[in-house]
């Protein structure tokens, strides 16, 4: 499965719940996540997309940790079956969950 396939499905599912998944490019800040997701109710998050089994680069790991350290939501999505879970996590996010998210991503080998 290609990353673009996961990305396309993710964008479509975010749109279905009334949100937008903007392509994110930040000149001078390599390694930032691929998408900034904006949902109803002022919820937002950053999502790095990977094809199944692909790992994040060292720079991506640093950027994701920085985002989580601020209390913002960030994650790595590497399969279609987790799309609904990621959208739900963004909707339910609060900054106090950052340590748990860091632990989960570490356990998955993503950061």
């Amino acid at each position: 499965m290609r990353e673009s396939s996961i990305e396309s499905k993710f964008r479509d599912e975010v749109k279905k719940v009334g949100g937008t998944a903007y392509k994110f490019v930040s000149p001078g800040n390599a390694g930032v996540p691929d998408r900034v997701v904006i949902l109803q109710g002022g919820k937002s998050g950053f999502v790095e997309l990977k094809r199944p089994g692909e790992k994040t680069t060292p720079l991506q790991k640093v950027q994701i940790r920085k985002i989580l350290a601020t209390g913002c939501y960030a994650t790595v999505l590497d399969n279609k079956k987790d799309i609904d879970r990621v959208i739900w996590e963004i909707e339910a996010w609060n900054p106090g969950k950052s340590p748990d998210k860091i632990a989960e991503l570490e356990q998955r080998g993503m950061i």
Side-chain angles (χ1 to χ4, degrees):
M1 180 182 313
R2 297 170 46 135
E3 180 180 315
S4 61
S5 171
I6 297 169
E7 189 167 21
S8 177
K9 177 73 172 164
F10 181 66
R11 273 193 336 263
D12 292 345
E13 293 302 313
V14 168
K15 189 173 185 178
K16 282 182 186 177
V17 298
T20 305
Y22 293 107
K23 184 72 173 171
F24 185 47
V25 179
S26 181
N29 293 293
V32 295
D34 298 312
R35 295 279 169 174
V36 176
V37 179
I38 310 291
L39 299 177
Q40 298 293 321
K43 296 295 185 165
S44 61
F46 297 84
V47 180
E48 174 62 33
L49 293 131
K50 295 288 184 192
R51 69 177 188 267
E54 184 180 15
K55 297 297 183 187
T56 49
T57 67
L59 195 49
Q60 288 170 329
K61 292 175 182 184
V62 168
Q63 294 287 18
I64 291 167
R65 282 181 184 278
K66 281 183 181 180
I67 292 166
L68 286 165
T70 70
C72 293
Y73 178 86
T75 197
V76 179
L77 177 62
D78 64 352
N79 64 73
K80 290 181 180 179
K81 72 176 179 59
D82 287 338
I83 290 173
D84 288 340
R85 178 187 54 81
V86 167
I87 293 170
W88 179 86
E89 284 180 350
I90 295 169
E91 289 174 334
W93 187 252
N94 73 58
K97 295 180 180 180
S98 286
D100 293 335
K101 191 65 182 172
I102 290 169
E104 175 217 319
L105 291 170
E106 286 175 339
Q107 183 178 14
R108 290 176 47 206
M110 295 297 186
I111 64 167

